[in-house]
Amino acid sequence: MPNTEKGVTVGVLALQGAFQEHIARFNSLNAGSFQPRVRAIAVRRPDQLEQCDGLVLPGGESTAISLGLLNAQLMEPLRKWISDQRPVWGTCAGMIMLATIASGGKRGGQELLGGLDIQVGRNGFGSQVCSFEAGVKFPVLGEDDYPGVFIRAPVVEKLLGDAETQRRDAVADPGSATKTLSISVCPESALQIPNRPLEVLGYLPPSAVPDVAAPDFFQSANTAKIHGAHPPKDAHIVAVRQGRLIATSFHPELTGDTRLHAYFVREIIQNSC
């Protein structure tokens, strides 16, 4: 755990996407009496990663982020970071990077970091023109809805009860893959993490989702027991936690609400799981 008397350093992956906005939100926590003090830095190299107590994988374009990680020689350091159970928060494209399985990508797929026992659908809430804002039910943050900004957002398609079996099945039978779309799976080595319960943190009630958006989560075959928040049957799961990993399919950095940034610092970085 970090020494809170010296403050907490949060790294934001700065290869592509909305990293500046995340840095600004973390730094804004210092304007009041928030403790611990937070220093947010851009991460583009392995040596910068090692300065951090926690890391954010921002929104952007997940295939571009994946290529950027490979070019910056950060893919394997980040996989080790995750396997060492160090704190990571993935937003939008970052959720895709942390997933065990991602559907809807270009043929040939992309490299995933893995760590979360979920299957996500890329652009699950529709294309750019289908972007929307809606209140997210987020019980750990209080009764007030969290302002969700959904831009070509992924959707949680499945909670995986047995990530290794699901990974093998996805490799053997990509299912809905077509000439232009495919299933991506994280490497087997990325699954060698002590098993922690997968918790639902936030969800969208059906009334908050445009008609063009994602199908009913509960119509998918899910093998995992739901922990954490208990969404209604027709809800869409948009935020999850597993150990010291959290992921949101929306963009918290594009709002003035810093509750999630404070939660990441206090509950994920400061508190051991």
Side-chain angles (χ1 to χ4, degrees):
M1 292 178 59
N3 184 339
T4 56
E5 292 183 359
K6 296 182 178 180
V8 168
T9 298
V10 180
V12 182
L13 186 69
L15 301 178
Q16 196 263 350
F19 59 90
Q20 291 287 5
E21 292 84 350
H22 268 298
I23 290 173
R25 290 292 167 268
F26 280 114
N27 286 334
S28 73
L29 295 176
N30 297 319
S33 59
F34 184 85
Q35 291 295 329
R37 307 305 283 175
V38 180
R39 180 174 73 110
I41 66 171
V43 172
R44 298 183 177 90
R45 305 187 308 269
D47 63 300
Q48 294 169 327
L49 177 64
E50 288 308 311
Q51 300 175 37
C52 302
D53 300 305
L55 181 72
V56 173
L57 305 177
E61 210 291 314
S62 62
T63 53
I65 292 173
S66 179
L67 289 172
L69 288 175
L70 291 169
N71 291 336
Q73 299 184 326
L74 272 167
M75 186 70 77
E76 292 311 314
L78 271 180
R79 284 180 175 147
K80 183 177 188 306
W81 176 285
I82 292 169
S83 68
D84 289 343
Q85 302 178 70
R86 302 185 70 178
V88 183
W89 175 15
T91 64
C92 197
M95 171 184 269
I96 298 171
M97 294 301 301
L98 290 175
T100 293
I101 304 171
S103 66
K106 294 180 180 179
R107 176 156 290 279
Q110 66 182 86
E111 290 273 3
L112 301 176
L113 291 166
L116 287 174
D117 294 342
I118 58 175
Q119 174 175 318
V120 301
R122 297 176 79 253
N123 302 330
F125 285 103
S127 64
Q128 186 83 17
V129 297
C130 300
S131 301
F132 65 98
E133 297 183 21
V136 178
K137 302 298 181 183
F138 224 112
V140 297
L141 298 182
E143 294 183 3
D144 293 340
D145 288 356
Y146 192 91
V149 178
F150 294 83
I151 303 172
R152 294 181 61 191
V155 64
V156 177
E157 295 179 330
K158 293 182 182 180
L159 307 180
L160 306 178
D162 181 346
E164 172 58 16
T165 298
Q166 297 280 350
R167 189 191 70 82
R168 285 199 304 264
D169 290 347
V171 172
D173 180 14
S176 61
T178 68
K179 291 182 179 180
T180 58
L181 300 178
S182 70
I183 299 288
S184 299
V185 295
C186 69
E188 184 176 358
S189 60
L191 296 172
Q192 307 308 309
I193 302 172
N195 189 35
R196 300 293 178 92
L198 181 66
E199 303 174 50
V200 174
L201 291 182
Y203 61 90
L204 280 175
S207 59
V209 183
D211 292 338
V212 296
D216 185 353
F217 164 82
F218 287 92
Q219 291 184 11
S220 299
N222 293 285
T223 60
K225 179 181 178 180
I226 294 180
H227 298 271
H230 291 281
K233 270 284 188 180
D234 47 2
H236 303 272
I237 294 175
V238 295
V240 295
R241 174 179 179 176
Q242 191 166 13
R244 304 187 85 180
L245 304 179
I246 66 170
T248 56
S249 62
F250 51 93
H251 287 264
E253 75 283 2
L254 299 183
T255 78
D257 192 323
T258 57
R259 283 180 293 166
L260 261 173
H261 290 81
Y263 177 85
F264 182 63
V265 171
R266 286 179 167 163
E267 300 300 325
I268 307 300
I269 296 177
Q270 280 195 282
N271 293 341
S272 60
C273 302

